Amino acid sequence: MTGMHPRLTTTPAATTVFTMVLTQGPVSRVEIARRTGLSSAAVTKAARPFIDAGYLEELEATERTGPGAGRPASPLVIRPDREFFIGVKITHDDLIGVVTDLRARPLASAHRPLTATAPEGVVAELAALVTGLLDTDPAYRRRCHALGLAVSGDVDKAGGLVRYSPFLGWRQVPLARLAAQATGLTVTIENDVKSLTVAEQWFGDGVGASSFALVTVGVGIGCGLVVDDRVIAGSHGVAGEIGHIPVGGDEPACHCGGRGCVEAIAGTAPLVAAVGAATGRGPLSIEAAIEAAHAGDAAARQVFDRAGHALGLAMASMANLIGPERIIVTGDVPGLAAYELFEEQVNRAFAAQAFGAAADCRVLLRPRTFEQWARGAAAVAIQTLFTV
């Protein structure tokens, strides 16, 4: 993380208390103490820096701390406009940016096309996008200090480095430093799927689940994991790479250098190429491939069935290893349209391969726009408030 952001100096207890109010508030100190195991005095001490800095406020007393006695409790609530955040999703041909409040609610959005993917050019376009978003409202300029960037591929969040992004053609790009220099903001970078996972954990379908998985279907096949309330990155930052579980034997070859990866079977480009080859139609768009399958073309359907089987096996492997309470499946619109074609095969392979109670895991289909992916980047930026 790089930049000039006036971070709060917090303790683990303060982070716990603030996160609970942020994601589940309004909530009283008594209830926070009950849920977290902290003492009431510890909760009061933990909340004080956030109250003093204007991030939290107390509502008027609305409940009593005990049946028939005790003082009325004053719930704590977030002041969402105390600070604003920018999140940007970087694709190979577009920048999608949002301004959010503390609850990661999008307040303004903007798109900026990319004509090339060289890092210097992307950063220049990023700076222009950020300037435009900040100029939307004078309050954003005064109270926005943090920028979150979501990038596909192998991202070193702590080092601010994009180690490998196949769709951008990047290797070892110090994106956080470059973006901080260009924008003057504190910059946090994260893998795009993990960013979306943070948003789901705090503000979406993951709220209330201590363990869940987010699977994304589209250009790539990604997976974010939350275990015991923590997003899992692994020692090298690549935990959850479900797209590179080998389920296809020795074929086909994958861009990662491996063979038989889920992404090489169910990712948009290989899926479309396989439909074109199987039907003899040559190069197709994803929309044309989906249309062929919907029209009953047996060869096209077979390709989609294979993709669904591969994804179902990978999801079952993940469920067997992690044991999530739920799996949220999302992606871009064409990707999810394809998913609906092979959903039956996904469910069949998952049920056959999931072990024991892992087969009871709920699978939720949730479309997400690119603005919501950018919101995920903003959610990661919001975490910069808690750096101990």
Side-chain angles (χ1 to χ4, degrees):
M1 186 174 64
T2 308
M4 299 297 293
H5 179 224
R7 292 177 295 165
L8 292 167
T9 300
T10 64
T11 63
T15 297
T16 297
V17 170
F18 185 81
T19 304
M20 180 166 288
V21 179
L22 178 66
T23 60
Q24 302 176 40
V27 60
S28 70
R29 288 180 173 86
V30 171
E31 183 63 15
I32 294 171
R34 186 187 70 79
R35 295 185 198 178
T36 63
L38 295 169
S39 68
S40 294
V43 171
T44 296
K45 181 179 179 181
R48 179 51 54 190
F50 290 103
I51 294 173
D52 291 343
Y55 290 93
L56 295 180
E57 62 180 338
E58 294 178 288
L59 299 178
E60 292 186 12
T62 57
E63 62 183 53
R64 296 201 171 261
T65 57
R71 295 181 304 169
S74 299
L76 294 172
V77 66
I78 291 291
R79 289 185 58 195
D81 61 350
R82 171 59 179 81
E83 188 156 347
F84 302 103
F85 301 83
I86 292 180
V88 178
K89 158 77 168 168
I90 302 175
T91 77
H92 68 285
D93 57 7
D94 206 9
L95 299 176
I96 304 95
V98 295
V99 178
T100 78
D101 62 14
L102 258 173
R103 291 191 183 278
R105 292 181 298 201
L107 305 172
S109 65
H111 286 224
R112 197 169 182 93
L114 294 175
T115 56
T117 58
E120 295 78 9
V122 171
V123 169
E125 294 292 343
L126 173 67
L129 178 76
V130 168
T131 297
L133 286 169
L134 291 176
D135 287 343
T136 305
D137 189 313
Y140 300 160
R141 280 231 168 255
R142 295 194 304 270
R143 299 199 297 277
C144 181
H145 305 94
L147 166 65
L149 302 177
V151 186
S152 65
D154 180 0
V155 175
D156 176 4
K157 178 185 175 185
L161 186 70
V162 178
R163 289 186 288 225
Y164 172 50
S165 182
F167 307 117
L168 289 166
W170 288 1
R171 289 186 183 273
Q172 305 301 317
V173 174
L175 181 61
R177 175 175 59 80
L178 295 174
Q181 290 171 348
T183 64
L185 300 176
T186 295
V187 176
T188 305
I189 68 170
E190 181 58 284
N191 168 270
D192 56 353
V193 177
K194 288 186 175 65
S195 296
L196 190 58
T197 303
V198 170
E200 292 294 333
Q201 180 189 21
W202 283 13
F203 309 108
D205 285 303
V207 172
S210 63
S211 298
F212 72 91
L214 176 82
V215 175
T216 60
V217 180
V219 174
I221 306 296
C223 181
L225 299 172
V226 171
V227 177
D228 293 335
D229 298 312
R230 297 179 65 88
V231 177
I232 301 301
S235 60
H236 302 291
V238 294
E241 283 292 347
I242 191 174
H244 298 286
I245 294 177
V247 296
D250 293 333
E251 296 295 335
C254 182
H255 64 79
C256 73
R259 306 192 74 84
C261 296
V262 178
E263 193 165 291
I265 299 170
T268 299
L271 183 70
V272 169
V275 171
T279 60
R281 300 186 186 188
L284 297 173
S285 65
I286 180 63
E287 291 80 8
I290 291 170
E291 183 179 347
H294 275 308
D297 187 304
R301 287 300 315 219
Q302 188 173 7
V303 171
F304 279 96
D305 286 349
R306 185 190 182 205
H309 180 74
L311 185 57
L313 291 180
M315 287 169 55
S317 296
M318 178 269 296
N320 290 342
L321 285 170
I322 306 300
E325 296 175 38
R326 64 196 69 156
I327 298 173
I328 304 163
V329 180
T330 189
D332 52 44
V333 174
L336 283 185
Y339 180 85
E340 289 169 355
L341 272 171
F342 51 66
E343 184 175 9
E344 181 180 347
Q345 287 293 332
V346 170
N347 292 335
R348 187 176 300 166
F350 180 84
Q353 196 69 26
F355 176 75
D360 296 331
C361 175
R362 291 176 60 208
V363 178
L364 308 173
L365 187 62
R366 295 290 187 265
R368 294 289 182 260
T369 65
F370 273 140
E371 283 79 8
Q372 287 167 308
W373 288 70
R375 172 180 178 254
V380 174
I382 291 170
Q383 291 180 324
T384 62
L385 288 173
F386 315 133
T387 303
V388 178

